[in-house]
Amino acid sequence: MQRKTHSSSSGLIRKTSVRPLLNWAGVGIIASVSVVFLLAALGALLGTDAILSMDERIQQLFYLNSDSRIYLLPFISFITALGSFNLSAIAAIGFSIPFLLQRRPRFLIYGYALLSSFAMMWILNTLLKEIFRRSRPELEHLLVVHGYSYPSGHAMISMGFYGMIFVIWAIERHQRLSGIALPVLCGIAFIVLVGLSRIMLGVHFPTDVFTGFAAGLAWIFCMIKGIKRSV
């Protein structure tokens, strides 16, 4: 009888501990979508010509349009592949399963945060692209792409999902009284490289990437709140 009471009690604690994460995930969805619409509204106020002019100036700096830059193509293609659905799905499973198998409340929360970040970034990005239906740049695409351009899915997944991996690393280092500079710097470098790779390959406008980053960052901030209140 005592065992049953203890078991149900621990189950209740686990359910309660997940609830803040779920609540903040809901807030994160609203925040991410709102950021995309707000930036689209800002673009409309500034005017299409102004936005395209800004995009073109940035593209001229980074697009692999010369013989010297084209040598970077294998490296850039590898970086951009890390933000693809297939590889990010493998990363989501690979990082989440060890956390979930440990069955410890803190690590369970990490596993749920990673899986929800992966799922929601791709789901929201797919829906948002269908709403805005922005065509991709009229540059030679240096790899095969499908679908619409705004916002960048690679930018959203790099910030919202891969960013969560670096956040968890930072949280764990902080709890062990280690500095968080290493995960923060590594995270920034990785995220920027993935987003920049989309511009360099000519498959996204810079504003697509910036908006994807902003949407993913809004999600990250909300999930950090959820993790802190759940562990």
Side-chain angles (χ1 to χ4, degrees):
M1 192 70 178
Q2 287 181 346
R3 286 181 182 176
K4 288 183 179 178
T5 304
H6 175 73
S7 175
S8 65
S9 173
S10 64
L12 181 61
I13 291 172
R14 186 169 296 152
K15 281 184 180 178
T16 303
S17 68
V18 175
R19 192 170 296 132
L21 185 71
L22 296 177
N23 292 339
W24 278 101
V27 176
I29 292 170
I30 296 171
S32 293
V33 172
S34 299
V35 163
V36 174
F37 275 91
L38 285 172
L39 289 175
L42 178 61
L45 286 174
L46 293 174
T48 303
D49 291 340
I51 296 299
L52 287 176
S53 176
M54 181 176 64
D55 277 334
E56 287 174 3
R57 285 199 297 270
I58 298 173
Q59 283 172 331
Q60 287 175 2
L61 293 174
F62 295 105
Y63 178 56
L64 301 178
N65 60 348
S66 66
D67 292 339
S68 58
R69 294 182 184 182
I70 209 69
Y71 288 116
L72 293 172
L73 182 58
F75 172 72
I76 298 302
S77 298
F78 170 75
I79 292 295
T80 209
L82 296 175
S84 67
F85 178 85
N86 290 339
L87 287 186
S88 60
I90 292 171
I93 295 169
F95 279 99
S96 300
I97 287 179
F99 288 138
L100 297 174
L101 289 178
Q102 292 194 47
R103 307 292 297 173
R104 291 164 60 186
R106 184 169 90 252
F107 293 109
L108 283 172
I109 294 299
Y110 291 160
Y112 296 148
L114 286 175
L115 288 175
S116 60
S117 295
F118 166 77
M120 292 316 306
M121 288 300 94
W122 280 117
I123 291 170
L124 290 179
N125 183 259
T126 300
L127 293 175
L128 288 166
K129 281 185 175 179
E130 287 297 323
I131 291 171
F132 290 99
R133 292 175 172 256
R134 186 185 194 185
S135 299
R136 292 186 183 269
E138 294 181 358
L139 298 170
E140 180 185 358
H141 298 166
L142 301 182
L143 80 169
V144 178
V145 289
H146 304 284
Y148 297 107
S149 192
Y150 181 89
S152 166
H154 280 65
M156 281 185 71
I157 203 71
S158 66
M159 180 67 79
F161 165 64
Y162 285 111
M164 183 58 61
I165 295 173
F166 291 104
V167 164
I168 291 170
W169 182 13
I171 291 172
E172 285 297 297
R173 282 181 63 89
H174 180 69
Q175 289 188 346
R176 293 179 173 85
L177 302 179
S178 302
I180 64 170
L182 181 61
V184 169
L185 291 175
C186 289
I188 291 173
F190 178 83
I191 291 165
V192 168
L193 278 174
V194 173
L196 193 59
S197 71
R198 307 304 284 170
I199 301 170
M200 298 175 79
L201 293 168
V203 296
H204 274 296
F205 294 102
T207 45
D208 301 334
V209 173
F210 177 79
T211 303
F213 281 161
L217 190 60
W219 169 266
I220 282 285
F221 280 144
C222 293
M223 293 303 283
I224 291 173
K225 292 282 190 181
I227 289 173
K228 286 182 176 179
R229 283 162 173 72
S230 297
V231 298

